[in-house]
Amino acid sequence: MVMFLFLVVALAIVVAAVTLAVVGGGESAPLPEAAPERLQDPLPPDRPVDRADVESLRFPLAPRGYRMADVDDALGRLAAELAERDARIADLETALAGARAAARQQPAEHPRTGPDQGREEQR
């Protein structure tokens, strides 16, 4: 019987301690809301993204992994930069192909040499 009484008192003490911990121990103000962690080092908006920017990019953790908005923003920016670079490369390759084709179509001019060259220019 003494053991049963001891267990009931111990249980009452544990319940009281947990209740005080949950309620806040008598403090009247609730805990302040924590600000969500945001991406601190976004990709630079004023210049093209380079390799070092991508390697240093770190996403803050969220309760279920990463914040989708931060990841979507970074991936959207990278996709836009890659599309812009692909278009620029295609333009440069087209210009280079056109220059090579024009160079092939021009007849090779051989300078005239010989004694008749001076006489034809005088006529």
Side-chain angles (χ1 to χ4, degrees), residues 62-107:
R64 290 185 282 166
Y66 295 105
R67 291 181 50 86
M68 283 195 291
D70 291 339
V71 176
D72 290 344
D73 290 345
L75 289 177
R77 172 74 190 277
L78 290 173
E81 294 250 352
L82 288 174
E84 182 179 326
R85 289 181 186 176
D86 289 345
R88 177 78 175 138
I89 289 170
D91 290 344
L92 292 173
E93 287 177 344
T94 302
L96 179 62
R100 285 181 177 165
R104 277 188 248 129
Q105 289 178 355
Q106 287 182 348

Side-chain angles (χ1 to χ4, degrees), residues 1-11:
M1 184 69 159
V2 174
M3 183 63 114
F4 177 74
L5 188 60
F6 175 75
L7 289 177
V8 169
V9 171
L11 182 63

